[in-house]
Structures are given as C-alpha cells and as structure tokens.
C-alpha cells in the first residue's frame, strides 16, 4: 500500500509500542504492544482495522492471538491515539495478563 509509515515508542527495557500506518488519509493501521522475550519480539496486544472496524486482539503467552474485540466507534484518526494512550497507561497490567 502506498505511503506506509512506521514508528515506535519505548516504554521500558524490552517493551515498546509499534505503530504502522498506510495511506493518506489513513486506510489501514496497526498499533502493537511488543515485548522482548525468548530472544524475539513477542506481540502482546494488537489494535487494528483490517476487518473493517476498529478492534483489539489480546495475546496470551500460552494460547497466542485471541479473537477480535471491538474497541472504538470513531474514525481511525481517533482510534489510533486512543489505542496508544491505553497501551501507555496500562502496559504493565497487560503484560501481567499475557504472562498468565
């Protein structure tokens, strides 16, 4: 897809948010919480719009990616900062639930 962009924000050693955007205006996006575990980046939480709506996938260490849950009713330019803000404020609790 044309006009793809990506940026990352470090939250702690071995924990970051990665954002991928495609299109102008934004047509597709992914906001991921990633953690460095077992010598690789592991997906912990994913917010995206690839199914035509804004949704979130939880990951668990033992069972991987879980079914999508809707998370935001607005446009992509509101859903993306909402996902980032949630990850910044709750990443430690999200990490704990992933570890279980």
């Amino acid at each position: 897809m044309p006009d793809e962009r990506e940026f990352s924000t470090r939250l702690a050693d071995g924990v970051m948010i990665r954002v991928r955007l495609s299109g102008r205006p934004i047509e597709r996006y992914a906001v991921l919480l990633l953690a460095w575990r077992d010598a690789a980046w592991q997906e912990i939480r994913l917010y995206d719009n690839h199914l035509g709506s804004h949704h979130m996938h939880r990951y668990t260490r033992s069972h991987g990616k879980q079914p999508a849950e809707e998370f935001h009713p607005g446009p992509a330019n509101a859903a993306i900062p909402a996902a980032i803000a949630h990850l910044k404020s709750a990443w430690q609790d999200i990490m704990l639930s992933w570890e279980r």
Side-chain angles (χ1 to χ4, degrees):
M1 179 164 287
D3 202 12
E4 294 187 5
R5 300 154 331 266
E6 179 175 302
F7 64 91
S8 299
T9 301
R10 181 177 173 265
L11 299 175
D13 285 339
V15 180
M16 74 169 154
I17 297 170
R18 179 172 293 149
V19 180
R20 295 181 181 137
L21 307 170
S22 297
R24 284 193 198 255
I26 297 166
E27 296 172 25
R28 295 194 57 173
Y29 70 88
V31 178
L32 300 105
L33 177 64
L34 302 168
W36 185 257
R37 298 290 188 273
D38 304 323
W41 287 104
Q42 304 288 321
E43 292 183 356
I44 309 300
R45 184 71 53 98
L46 165 65
Y47 296 84
D48 67 9
N49 67 340
H50 87 278
L51 297 175
S53 66
H54 307 293
H55 57 276
M56 178 265 299
H57 291 276
R58 298 173 196 273
Y59 286 75
T60 66
R61 192 167 198 160
S62 58
H63 296 100
K65 189 176 184 180
Q66 303 300 301
E69 301 173 35
E70 289 197 30
F71 88 95
H72 196 279
N77 63 357
I80 294 165
I84 294 168
H86 180 257
L87 291 176
K88 283 182 175 180
S89 68
W91 71 270
Q92 293 170 317
D93 290 333
I94 293 168
M95 291 293 303
L96 288 174
S97 71
W98 176 79
E99 293 282 356
R100 293 184 197 146

